[in-house]
């Protein structure tokens, strides 16, 4: 009895002495969320009380960037903490479950792979989009747990699930859709998983379960596909925005509202399990909202606020995103942090806090905590860089200026004074030849160790794949030998 008592006392002491005080980390990612489409960036209509509270009681990054103006490459940068140009993954991958070459290169490490050896429980819930075949499956890329979909997008209601992708259009032409995984059932790890309610809610509830059940420090990547098209939301949420005339925008706002409600479910689970105070939550979007094209104004549902252009653009609307952090135990409350930060910094921050694995290729981001806490003076990045496939458009941003070549066939570069003209209204390239030189040199130095993109953009990939099938079958038909009649003596 005495012995047992002593042992329990020792165990208790040991637990207290060596209690794991490392924070939990949650990276919440929205998909194609317009800069101006949450309460904390100034939207007056959409209801995002949970995000607004995190923002107001945490840190708002006034100049928060992702590494690419659209999905796949942006997510590759975020998950590795390295510019995706370092390893040439600058396209949207097609959902291709049998292609063992198409995915986030296997010699790159995700933040999951860096945190697992430090004893963190790692999970990804939602959109993967970094390769659909077995070697690239999240469970093989550093995540103990996966619930979601491997493709670049997914429909939002369970009745859309249909394992047959229409490879032909109704008129018989090939269908080069980017996202044939859109209608696939959800997966839990490598098995089919239940999916019986609005997707954003299902992902949120699963995230709530994950954070509650976790019995050691965890790192959860909650990668919503909301509010990316297809524009679908529960009717009762859409009805909250009946004053919005444009039906697409009304539905899109409802998708953001539903995502915020889902984030509320996760926050509640953190509070109920006593983990809220020591959980670092990041929230950001993977790129800007879909931008307007002349003549297609009715097709536009997102609002990038004061930022110029949107998804796909090298101007601010493409990759300057709503970006916040919240961690009661480790970050000040009510801070607006002005210097440029990047989604690249999330890996570096997580690795620093967890004591994660720093081996392998060098991270391009920095641990943001000492910057925000004021322990390190100065800026986290002297410059941030962008590049789209094979350099068709590019950009470099320093705290003072931005030098870019816009996408969509622009031929003339532009230069902006980001201190006095943060919304890029006055191109000063003719007035600042020296600055232009300096910025070009910075970009060239950065680009010198990048790799050429060898993967194909999803629609082109699908086209190529259908051509390969055609060639294969032609070859098989040509080689097929006619079976000779049986000869009878
Ligand atoms: Ca996106």
């Amino acid at each position: 009895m005495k012995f047992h008592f002593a042992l329990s006392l020792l165990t208790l002491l040991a637990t207290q002495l060596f209690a794991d005080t490392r924070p939990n980390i949650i990276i919440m990612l929205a998909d194609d969320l317009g800069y101006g489409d949450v309460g904390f960036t100034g939207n007056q209509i959409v209801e995002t009380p949970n995000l607004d509270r995190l923002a107001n009681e945490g840190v708002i990054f006034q100049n928060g960037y992702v590494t690419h103006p659209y999905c796949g490459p942006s997510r590759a940068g975020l998950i590795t903490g390295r510019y995706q140009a370092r390893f040439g993954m600058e396209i949207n991958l097609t959902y291709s479950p049998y292609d063992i070459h198409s995915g986030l290169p296997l010699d790159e490490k995700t933040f999951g792979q860096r945190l697992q050896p430090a004893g963190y429980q790692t999970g990804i819930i939602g959109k993967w989009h970094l390769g659909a075949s077995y070697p690239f499956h999240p469970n093989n890329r550093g995540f103990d747990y996966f619930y979601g979909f491997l493709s670049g997008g997914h429909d939002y209601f369970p009745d859309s699930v249909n394992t047959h992708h229409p490879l032909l259009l109704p008129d018989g032409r090939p269908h080069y859709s980017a996202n044939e995984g859109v209608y696939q059932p959800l997966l839990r790890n490598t098995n089919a998983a239940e999916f019986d309610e609005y997707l954003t809610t299902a992902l949120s509830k699963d995230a709530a379960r994950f954070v509650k059940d976790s019995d050691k420090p965890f790192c959860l990547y909650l990668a919503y596909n909301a509010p990316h098209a297809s524009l679908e939301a529960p009717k009762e949420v859409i009805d909250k925005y009946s004053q919005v005339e444009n039906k697409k925008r009304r539905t899109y706002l409802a998708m953001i509202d539903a995502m915020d409600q889902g984030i509320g479910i996760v926050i509640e689970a953190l509070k109920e399990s006593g983990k809220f105070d020591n959980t670092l939550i990041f929230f950001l979007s993977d790129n800007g909202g879909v931008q307007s094209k002349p003549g297609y104004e009715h097709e536009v549902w997102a609002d990038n606020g004061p930022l110029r252009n949107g998804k796909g653009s090298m101007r601010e609307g493409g990759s300057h995103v709503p970006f916040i952090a919240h961690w009661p135990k480790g970050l000040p409350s009510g801070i607006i942090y002005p210097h440029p930060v990047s989604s690249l910094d999330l890996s570096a921050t997580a690795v620093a806090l967890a004591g994660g694995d720093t081996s392998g290729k060098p991270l391009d981001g920095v641990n943001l905590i000492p910057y925000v806490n004021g322990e390190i003076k100065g800026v986290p990045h002297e410059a941030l860089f962008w590049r789209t496939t094979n350099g068709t458009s590019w950009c470099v941003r320093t705290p003072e200026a931005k030098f870019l070549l816009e996408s969509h066939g622009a031929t003339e570069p532009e230069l902006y004074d980001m201190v006095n003209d943060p919304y890029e209204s006055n191109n000063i390239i003719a007035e600042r030849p020296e600055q232009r030189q300096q910025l070009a040199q910075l970009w060239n130095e950065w680009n010198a160790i990048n790799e050429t993109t060898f993967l194909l953009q999803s629609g082109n990939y699908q086209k190529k794949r259908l051509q390969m099938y055609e060639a294969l079958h032609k070859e098989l038909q040509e080689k097929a030998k006619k079976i000779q009649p049986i000869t009878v003596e």
Side-chain angles (χ1 to χ4, degrees), residues 252-314:
Y252 162 85
L253 292 177
M255 293 168 86
I256 297 167
D257 183 315
M259 177 177 68
D260 185 83
Q261 291 182 41
I263 289 168
I265 295 171
V266 182
I267 291 171
E268 206 40 54
L270 286 168
K271 287 184 175 168
E272 277 173 20
S273 53
K275 296 171 182 169
F276 186 63
D277 283 352
N278 199 25
T279 297
L280 167 61
I281 300 174
F282 282 107
F283 172 85
L284 70 165
S285 178
D286 71 334
N287 52 255
V290 176
Q291 62 181 317
S292 112
K293 289 180 203 146
Y296 287 87
E297 284 76 11
H298 61 288
E299 288 288 346
V300 170
W301 49 83
D303 178 359
N304 291 306
L307 305 184
R308 197 167 165 195
N309 294 15
K311 181 177 183 176
S313 174
M314 284 294 155

Side-chain angles (χ1 to χ4, degrees), residues 30-33 69-72 75 127 228 285-288 311:
D31 196 347
D32 287 15
L33 173 67
Y70 60 79
C71 296
R75 284 154 197 265
K127 166 169 165 172
H228 192 293
S285 178
D286 71 334
N287 52 255
K311 181 177 183 176

